[in-house]
Amino acid sequence: MTRTGFEYVPTEIEPKWRKKWQEAKLFDVEFNPDLPKKYVLEMFPYPSGRIHMGHVRNYSIGDVMARFFRMKGYNVLHPMGWDAFGLPAENAAIQNKVHPRKWTYENIANMKAQINLLGVSYDWRREVTTCDSDYYRWEQMMFLRMLREGLAYREKRPLNWCPSCQTVLANEEVGDGQCWRCDSKVEIKEMNQWFLRITKYADELLEGIKGLNEWPDRVRIMQTNWIGKSEGAEIDFTIEKQTSKIRVFTTRPDTLMGATSIILAPEHALVSELAKNTVQEKDVKAFIDKMKNTDKDERSSETAEKLGVFTGSYAIHPLSGEKIPIWIANFVLTDYGTGALMAVPAHDIRDFAFAQKYNLPIKKVVQKTKEKDDDTELPFTDDGFSINSDEISGLTTKDAKKKIIQILTAKKVGTSKINFRLRDWGISRQRYWGTPIPIIHCAKDGIVEVPESELPIRLPENVEFKGTGGSPLAQDPQWQNVKCPKCGGDAKREADTMSTFIESSWYYARYCSVKHGESAVNKADCDKWLSIDHYVGGVEHATLHLIYIRFFHKLMRDWGWVQGDEPVKQLICQGMVYKDGAKMSKSKGNVVDPDDLVAKLGADTARLFVLFAGPIEKDLEWNDQGVEGCFRFLSRVYRLSLNSNQQLQGIKYPDSVTSAEAKKLQHLLHKTVKNVSCDIERDFSYNTAISFMMEFVNYLYLIDLAKADTQTLGVFKKSIETLVLMISPFAPHMSDELWEALGHKGFTLNESWPGFNEEFAKVSEREIVFQINGKIKDRMQCADGTSDDELKNLAMANTKIKDALSGAQPKRVIVVPNKLVNIVV
Ligand code: ANZ
């Protein structure tokens, strides 16, 4: 192919097309009942100021989907917005004395411009900004509805407190005893908090996981464990010389006869009473104090040393009537089950270690076999057969559990019980930049709702950002001091704001409408677009956001706002972007700025690279050569298209394709379309789809148009046009530029995705003759276009040839492609 001066200069092409797209309102979408629909969604960003490569990857993945499906004939909803409340805005306010609102909206403007530079096909008319009162007012309304329905409540509870952020954290926001945001050590603090009763949906949230068959397994497992359903029993133990009882939760009621102590969490309400006036009282107090400052995860970790103290009191075994000691220990947690357990050292690893350490009796009540007394080693934690357990002796673990629950129920000392690890969702935050909780506290009337007609309750303006303690909202007396809506007396507004995870729990439904009118979401629009067909985001949201979004969907369903039980059909968790072996981040100093890349090599190259560098769900290692490789590939496509376009003026697609060269090209064209389409559609395997296009381009470069027959020229022309359409979702600016240059009007996005003919795509076969010194020895069917080297290898490996050669070394091997291999000896 002759080279002429077509130079690929993305900075000249890209702004021009973005302007045209905008003018044509190319990305605005209305629902069309005649077309199948797709709702493609990327998790919306926190407006931190600038987008990073992780964002570029996220949005490029979604954009290729959206564009591909649109070309495939779907009605595609592809919206974007801002998860705009949150702590960084406040920290910026503290550090730079800029109001969180100003900071946030400026960041949004910056980031929107950056995203638009990438040419992502968002329908911005649907943009959601969660810190707009027009958005959060609905959240306040939902909160009041939940309050009325008993789904929101206030309670004093020990909660995770981050001393550095000065705020309460949800369990999900604590990992390894540290704050998810600032890594400070989390403390436990008793506080009045608002909760959402997510546990009401625990069973449904768990059951629903079974139907999420297009979610990654790891996310389904994480959610299952997070919800943590345990089936077992609650059993009451009376306390010696007292009227009160201790209730324990156990998943192994069949081991009741092996219980040799009761162990309470140090925070258990009965502890101080039990130890009162005993010799142990001082030790117990000291132990409780020590535990206060020990992190929960640390206490319950498998490797942590088991520590405890005897309370000085005894419990009475409900069946044997025996006296067993009551202890407190570090590994018993206050917020699980009843905060108390019966220790069965013979059959529980932790209890075993504890009993050994403190010399508590160990009683074997389960063994592996049905035999009289086998030599099962302790602790034995598997299922087996009950022994030394009166009525249930001899039964399998499963039957023994059932039977013992019957016995306990009849005696009114126990019942079957299902426990969930999932806790109600604590949503109060002592923060400014969040949705105000629409509640008024009145000395006379207690908790009073703000009347809905007064919503939204906007944030006070008169607040100084100092970063020290408490709720900033309480600093503005004018805002906080109000009259009680019920009695008219002096009252105070609730000064906490809501967890920002609430905003991201329902935004997807709001996107369904362009105009909302007087409701949070529009049912008719939601019915049209939901559920989300493909949801793309990071796996770090597996147990936070992705549980809350499912919870809110069920809430909204129960309110009749949306249909269907689940919000997300397919979840795609993209990998992270690494450079020099570390996650790309400002603190590591290994950031590649998307704007720089776009300015230098163009948005299309940036998009192509983040998709070509590996499978979307795998982590991606940044590679400057890889980026340049992508730029070169696009340049090659650009030059090839424009050069050939000059030479192919007036050439038409042939009526029939008969020449060998044209046939081969036709085959490769159809095969490429097939491979690219399948890879995108089946599992969004973009990197392999791009490879197929690269291979095809390499082949096209081998064809000498000056020598090719007219059929080949016709198929070549078709090949270029098809290639331009196939690259369009990945490199939309360049594709539209080429499409125009090839003489077409409009945008590639409005063209149909190229089809293929299965017959042409099939590998056609040729009969290859194997000869020695010109004499035919064998024949074989080989794929059309099998390479010379491959044919040579096939011939040398052929048994008839091997026999005939009987060890003789060939002097020469002559290959005539698609016809024969002749071995000269
Ligand atoms: C007796 C027993 C015998 C137990 C046995 C286990 C094995 P999951 O499966 O996670 O639900 N437990 C109960 N409450 C606890 C608390 N607040 N903190 C720590 N551990 C607690 O765990 C349930 C089991 O964990 C319960 O069953 C109890 O020990 C313990 F051979 O009771 B088991």
Side-chain angles (χ1 to χ4, degrees):
M1 165 131 331
T2 48
R3 297 249 151 99
T4 49
F6 292 118
E7 199 196 341
Y8 173 49
V9 187
T11 44
E12 284 170 14
I13 297 171
E14 294 183 351
K16 163 182 150 190
W17 286 99
R18 281 197 295 270
K19 188 155 168 271
K20 284 185 182 233
W21 296 337
Q22 202 182 5
E23 283 164 1
K25 301 187 193 311
L26 184 63
F27 306 138
D28 291 0
V29 61
E30 299 303 335
F31 184 76
N32 180 345
D34 299 330
L35 296 178
K37 73 93 186 173
K38 282 276 187 191
Y39 184 174
V40 176
L41 186 63
E42 297 103 66
M43 291 178 184
F44 65 167
Y46 176 76
S48 54
R50 300 194 60 74
I51 65 166
H52 52 66
M53 278 304 164
H55 292 123
V56 175
R57 194 177 190 203
N58 190 201
Y59 310 147
S60 299
I61 291 169
D63 199 40
V64 171
M65 264 175 219
R67 288 174 177 267
F68 171 76
F69 286 126
R70 177 148 161 196
M71 292 175 79
K72 281 287 263 188
Y74 287 89
N75 192 200
V76 180
L77 177 62
H78 191 212
M80 184 40 84
W82 310 97
D83 190 10
F85 271 140
L87 201 53
E90 236 164 302
N91 290 339
I94 295 160
Q95 276 157 26
N96 310 326
K97 305 276 169 241
V98 40
H99 194 279
R101 174 171 296 106
K102 184 164 182 285
W103 186 85
T104 304
Y105 281 95
E106 279 174 9
N107 285 348
I108 289 175
N110 282 338
M111 288 173 74
K112 192 167 174 180
Q114 285 188 295
I115 290 177
N116 280 333
L117 273 186
L118 292 169
V120 189
S121 64
Y122 292 131
D123 180 354
W124 283 111
R125 297 169 310 154
R126 297 166 188 271
E127 178 176 5
V128 152
T129 305
T130 59
C131 63
D132 273 358
S133 59
D134 181 44
Y135 184 80
Y136 69 68
R137 65 178 296 181
W138 302 111
E139 219 157 275
Q140 295 178 333
M141 201 200 76
M142 286 186 227
F143 177 86
L144 293 178
R145 183 161 182 176
M146 291 171 85
L147 186 68
R148 267 171 248 141
E149 295 179 5
L151 289 166
Y153 63 94
R154 196 165 129 102
E155 207 170 87
K156 204 166 204 160
R157 283 237 196 117
L159 279 176
N160 306 304
W161 172 260
C162 172
S164 144
C165 300
Q166 289 280 304
T167 191
V168 162
L169 301 170
N171 285 343
E172 299 87 304
E173 293 170 340
V174 182
D176 286 336
Q178 290 174 333
C179 170
W180 71 301
R181 216 180 259 122
C182 72
D183 290 341
S184 303
K185 202 162 181 263
V186 170
E187 296 168 1
I188 302 291
K189 212 172 167 176
E190 280 264 333
M191 290 179 95
N192 252 323
Q193 303 290 320
W194 286 100
F195 291 89
L196 301 187
R197 212 179 288 282
I198 189 172
T199 51
K200 187 184 164 203
Y201 289 87
D203 241 326
E204 206 200 325
L205 286 166
L206 184 68
E207 280 302 302
I209 294 172
K210 291 189 193 130
L212 300 177
N213 44 26
E214 291 182 66
W215 283 40
D217 283 343
R218 56 182 171 151
V219 176
R220 292 169 15 138
I221 292 167
M222 279 191 265
Q223 291 215 349
T224 305
N225 292 340
W226 190 260
I227 298 167
K229 183 178 183 172
S230 287
E231 290 182 54
E234 280 184 355
I235 304 175
D236 289 338
F237 287 72
T238 49
I239 304 169
E240 192 196 31
K241 300 187 208 130
Q242 283 197 29
T243 47
S244 41
K245 285 178 189 155
I246 296 174
R247 178 164 291 182
V248 303
F249 170 70
T250 175
T251 46
R252 293 294 303 270
D254 59 300
T255 63
L256 177 56
M257 294 312 284
T260 57
S261 65
I262 294 294
I263 312 182
L264 308 180
E267 301 85 355
H268 196 284
L270 285 175
V271 171
S272 46
E273 199 182 314
L274 290 172
K276 218 183 212 155
N277 304 327
T278 63
V279 270
Q280 286 81 10
E281 192 169 1
K282 245 172 101 193
D283 293 347
V284 169
K285 276 216 176 98
F287 188 77
I288 293 171
D289 283 343
K290 192 170 153 200
M291 284 306 122
K292 261 190 199 141
N293 296 316
T294 314
D295 166 64
K296 195 177 106 184
D297 288 342
E298 206 175 301
R299 268 169 55 178
S300 59
S301 92
E302 270 174 46
T303 49
E305 194 188 355
K306 309 287 170 268
L307 298 172
V309 283
F310 176 44
T311 60
S313 293
Y314 290 86
I316 307 297
H317 192 287
L319 296 186
S320 71
E322 256 174 87
K323 241 172 81 169
I324 58 175
I326 304 172
W327 286 65
I328 59 177
N330 59 347
F331 64 91
V332 184
L333 302 174
T334 176
D335 60 353
Y336 186 65
T338 60
L341 59 79
M342 60 177 203
V344 184
H347 305 290
D348 181 89
I349 293 168
R350 289 175 307 181
D351 296 349
F352 188 78
F354 193 74
Q356 282 199 315
K357 176 157 184 184
Y358 294 107
N359 265 325
L360 295 164
I362 298 173
K363 240 179 103 180
K364 180 172 159 185
V365 290
V366 187
Q367 65 178 24
K368 238 187 246 155
T369 65
K370 224 181 155 151
E371 286 159 31
K372 186 138 188 331
D373 215 350
D374 73 7
D375 54 359
T376 300
E377 237 178 86
L378 299 182
F380 175 66
T381 58
D382 289 345
D383 283 8
F385 296 87
S386 286
I387 53 166
N388 306 326
S389 298
D390 304 330
E391 289 128 293
I392 63 165
S393 288
L395 295 183
T396 61
T397 298
K398 193 168 159 230
D399 291 342
K401 281 182 183 171
K402 261 195 228 150
K403 178 88 192 179
I404 199 89
I405 289 174
Q406 279 170 12
I407 295 170
L408 294 170
T409 311
K411 293 196 166 184
K412 297 205 165 58
V413 289
T415 48
S416 65
K417 171 80 186 174
I418 292 172
N419 243 330
F420 288 93
R421 212 153 271 283
L422 182 72
R423 305 282 81 158
D424 278 340
W425 177 10
I427 57 151
S428 299
R429 297 290 180 275
Q430 291 66 45
R431 285 283 142 201
Y432 174 79
W433 197 230
T435 302
I437 296 173
I439 288 293
I440 290 166
H441 297 281
C442 168
K444 184 167 154 279
D445 292 306
I447 289 168
V448 182
E449 288 179 24
V450 171
E452 271 188 21
S453 59
E454 285 177 25
L455 300 183
I457 298 301
R458 293 197 172 82
L459 289 163
E461 289 299 318
N462 189 17
V463 169
E464 217 193 312
F465 298 96
K466 298 180 299 223
T468 45
S471 302
L473 271 58
Q475 286 176 26
D476 185 345
Q478 232 182 333
W479 181 88
Q480 211 197 11
N481 295 331
V482 287
K483 296 291 172 208
C484 168
K486 269 197 185 152
C487 69
D490 287 345
K492 271 190 191 315
R493 281 194 194 288
E494 166 75 51
D496 285 354
T497 51
M498 297 186 202
S499 158
T500 60
F501 276 107
I502 298 186
E503 283 92 60
S504 49
S505 297
W506 64 283
Y507 75 117
Y508 67 97
R510 184 121 175 127
Y511 280 146
C512 293
S513 309
V514 176
K515 292 197 178 72
H516 298 94
E518 281 305 291
S519 60
V521 302
N522 180 306
K523 172 149 199 320
D525 290 334
C526 287
D527 288 352
K528 289 172 191 158
W529 289 111
L530 293 180
S531 53
I532 302 164
D533 293 279
H534 309 282
Y535 194 25
V536 191
V539 74
E540 66 274 17
H541 294 292
T543 51
L544 300 132
H545 166 56
L546 288 166
I547 284 199
Y548 297 145
I549 200 173
R550 295 182 58 220
F551 166 47
F552 260 72
H553 189 83
K554 290 169 200 301
L555 267 183
M556 292 195 287
R557 173 203 61 194
D558 291 350
W559 291 341
W561 296 4
V562 296
Q563 289 181 345
D565 296 329
E566 293 288 340
V568 179
K569 214 166 142 221
Q570 186 188 35
L571 174 70
I572 295 150
C573 291
Q574 88 209 43
M576 291 206 274
V577 182
Y578 282 78
K579 187 164 185 280
D580 311 323
K583 194 187 149 193
M584 236 188 224
S585 77
K586 255 190 236 156
S587 60
K588 297 252 160 41
N590 60 353
V591 169
V592 177
D593 187 76
D595 280 4
D596 294 346
L597 180 57
V598 169
K600 200 170 142 221
L601 298 177
D604 285 346
T605 292
R607 294 168 59 114
L608 193 75
F609 173 72
V610 291
L611 299 175
F612 179 58
I616 56 179
E617 65 286 351
K618 290 265 154 58
D619 291 338
L620 174 163
E621 174 70 34
W622 194 264
N623 170 341
D624 288 328
Q625 279 106 50
V627 179
E628 274 151 31
C630 286
F631 178 77
R632 272 200 306 278
F633 169 65
L634 292 180
S635 307
R636 271 162 73 75
V637 175
Y638 186 80
R639 283 197 310 267
L640 180 72
S641 307
L642 295 183
N643 280 329
S644 61
N645 187 39
Q646 277 188 340
Q647 297 175 47
L648 296 172
Q649 290 301 322
I651 295 286
K652 296 237 156 25
Y653 194 76
D655 292 331
S656 66
V657 176
T658 50
S659 84
E661 196 182 10
K663 264 185 138 167
K664 177 153 189 202
L665 181 56
Q666 176 178 261
H667 160 65
L668 285 176
L669 167 63
H670 285 259
K671 192 176 95 171
T672 305
V673 176
K674 181 179 172 178
N675 287 339
V676 172
S677 313
C678 289
D679 279 7
I680 296 179
E681 195 152 26
R682 214 184 310 123
D683 43 13
F684 304 117
S685 179
Y686 296 150
N687 60 328
T688 55
I690 295 166
S691 297
F692 283 122
M693 290 192 272
M694 288 176 166
E695 265 176 42
F696 188 49
V697 169
N698 288 342
Y699 185 76
L700 291 174
Y701 262 93
L702 296 177
I703 295 175
D704 187 347
L705 292 182
K707 292 188 190 146
D709 59 63
T710 44
Q711 286 183 6
T712 305
L713 295 180
V715 181
F716 194 98
K717 191 166 179 176
K718 181 83 188 163
S719 297
I720 294 291
E721 290 190 344
T722 308
L723 184 67
V724 167
L725 292 178
M726 281 193 297
I727 291 186
S728 163
F730 300 91
H733 306 86
M734 188 190 77
S735 295
D736 276 5
E737 175 77 10
L738 291 176
W739 193 242
E740 185 185 60
L742 297 179
H744 299 284
K745 290 219 157 44
F747 308 106
T748 49
L749 188 59
N750 286 334
E751 297 298 318
S752 293
W753 182 257
F756 61 91
N757 180 322
E758 195 69 64
E759 273 309 304
F760 296 156
K762 246 194 221 154
V763 185
S764 49
E765 297 204 318
R766 300 286 186 134
E767 187 182 75
I768 308 293
V769 174
F770 293 155
Q771 302 173 331
I772 293 181
N773 294 337
K775 285 210 178 85
I776 297 176
K777 295 290 170 197
D778 202 4
R779 294 161 202 274
M780 191 182 177
Q781 295 294 321
C782 288
D784 195 4
T786 305
S787 72
D788 289 8
D789 279 345
E790 233 175 296
L791 288 177
K792 230 186 247 179
N793 291 339
L794 286 168
M796 297 307 290
N798 181 282
T799 37
K800 286 192 183 150
I801 294 281
K802 269 202 226 162
D803 289 348
L805 284 175
S806 63
Q809 280 304 312
K811 262 199 225 142
R812 246 173 351 128
V813 181
I814 301 155
V815 179
V816 182
N818 283 336
K819 282 211 175 78
L820 66 82
V821 182
N822 184 23
I823 298 163
V824 184
V825 288

